[in-house]
Amino acid sequence: MNSKGQSALMSPLLQLHLSILLFGGTALFSALIPLPATEITAYRAAIASLVLGSLVLYRRGHLKLMRYRDYGVITLLGVIVGLHWVTYFASMQASSVAIGMIAFFTYPVMTVIAEPLSKKQLPKAADLVSAMVVLAGIALLVPTPSLSDNLTQGVALGIISAALFTARNLIQKRWFSGYDGPTTMAYQTGVAALMLLPFCTQAPTELDGSGLGLLLLLAIIFTALPHALMSQSLRHLAAKTVSLVGCLQPLYGVSLAALVLAQWPDARTLAGGVLVVCAALFETHQQSRAQGKKAR
């Protein structure tokens, strides 16, 4: 392969890795921005919606959806995304970035269990084994569960966030798959902002210059940009590649939290994370193989 071909191959891969790195980095802002999870989500969604909406208008010249039904579907998706982000940040604020991300990353296994059930089919035995591995990983995160314990609350909120993310992905795949990433997220973040802004008790103007800068950084660089990058990379890369690289998100997030926030995970957290991420990698690989066979 000549250098021009290699460059063409590497560019989408670099875009994909950068988008996953940025998605992993969103977890840092749960500790860096001095606001509750609801406020962080509402202002992040509002800014990201304006940026993504402007990008779509620049590319397509309009934001219209193809069918009236789609407006109802995207409203539901936006509500789910808003709740998902609130519980995602709240999970990390209650415990730590590492625990919140690991608990959230149970969603790939949730997906392979929930998807066949939604079609009135039974999950495969291998998927049930993966679910048991994930449960073992979660048990390592919370050795002595107690609802009054911040650690338990963090794990519980992370799992709720994962369930919401799973529901959003399944609904989007079934009823809203005809739109690109920026268009989908422009609407979803807009709906999420409209839903959450009335519940905000602290205005962003109460933040100092550093806090406002971090909020803009989260919304533009760590939300709008990775969605645009991933949408671009999907045009050139196989879905299998995108899914497998996506499993690096907890590694990126936990590593950034250790370096930036000095939140170093202990041995139990690392062991639980290894179990959860390995199960996610296995299920992602299995799904990719199945899709590859169907395409032949």
Side-chain angles (χ1 to χ4, degrees), residues 181-210:
T183 301
T184 301
M185 287 309 299
Y187 272 99
Q188 289 184 24
T189 50
V191 172
L194 290 173
M195 175 185 71
L196 294 172
L197 284 171
F199 298 97
C200 294
T201 57
Q202 292 181 249
T205 52
E206 295 179 26
L207 295 171
D208 58 18
S210 174

Side-chain angles (χ1 to χ4, degrees), residues 137-155:
I138 295 299
L140 284 172
L141 297 183
V142 191
T144 54
S146 171
L147 291 178
S148 61
D149 177 53
N150 286 346
L151 192 67
T152 304
Q153 291 174 11
V155 172

Side-chain angles (χ1 to χ4, degrees), residues 47-256:
I47 298 168
S49 179
L50 290 173
V51 173
L52 289 166
S54 299
L55 176 64
V56 174
L57 283 173
Y58 174 76
R59 286 182 175 178
R60 296 171 52 200
H62 66 87
L63 278 164
K64 293 180 181 178
L65 301 181
M66 291 182 285
R67 296 173 293 272
Y68 286 115
R69 183 206 68 178
D70 294 343
Y71 290 98
V73 175
I74 201 63
T75 299
L76 174 61
L77 290 172
V79 170
I80 295 173
V81 163
L83 295 174
H84 152 60
W85 275 353
V86 169
T87 50
Y88 178 73
F89 283 119
S91 168
M92 295 169 192
Q93 289 180 337
S95 53
S96 69
V97 168
I99 288 174
M101 288 210 74
I102 292 168
F104 164 67
F105 224 74
T106 57
Y107 82 83
V109 177
M110 288 188 186
T111 301
V112 297
I113 299 295
E115 192 164 24
L117 290 176
S118 69
K119 299 175 182 177
K120 298 181 180 179
Q121 300 171 357
L122 292 175
K124 297 177 181 178
D127 297 333
L128 295 176
V129 172
S130 293
M132 296 303 295
V133 172
V134 166
L135 288 175
I138 295 299
L140 284 172
L141 297 183
V142 191
T144 54
S146 171
L147 291 178
S148 61
D149 177 53
N150 286 346
L151 192 67
T152 304
Q153 291 174 11
V155 172
L157 286 167
I159 292 172
I160 292 171
S161 181
L164 289 164
F165 191 65
T166 299
R168 175 259 197 179
N169 289 347
L170 292 177
I171 293 170
Q172 183 170 306
K173 180 179 178 181
R174 184 167 181 179
W175 285 296
F176 208 81
S177 60
Y179 297 93
D180 59 46
T183 301
T184 301
M185 287 309 299
Y187 272 99
Q188 289 184 24
T189 50
V191 172
L194 290 173
M195 175 185 71
L196 294 172
L197 284 171
F199 298 97
C200 294
T201 57
Q202 292 181 249
T205 52
E206 295 179 26
L207 295 171
D208 58 18
S210 174
L212 282 172
L214 287 169
L215 192 58
L216 289 170
L217 190 67
L218 169 63
I220 298 172
I221 305 301
F222 285 81
T223 303
L225 177 60
H227 279 103
L229 286 171
M230 180 165 282
S231 177
Q232 181 68 20
S233 68
L234 280 168
R235 298 180 182 181
H236 305 282
L237 298 174
K240 174 182 178 180
T241 303
V242 175
S243 298
L244 290 174
V245 173
C247 288
L248 293 173
Q249 185 175 329
L251 174 62
Y252 287 148
V254 172
S255 299
L256 287 170

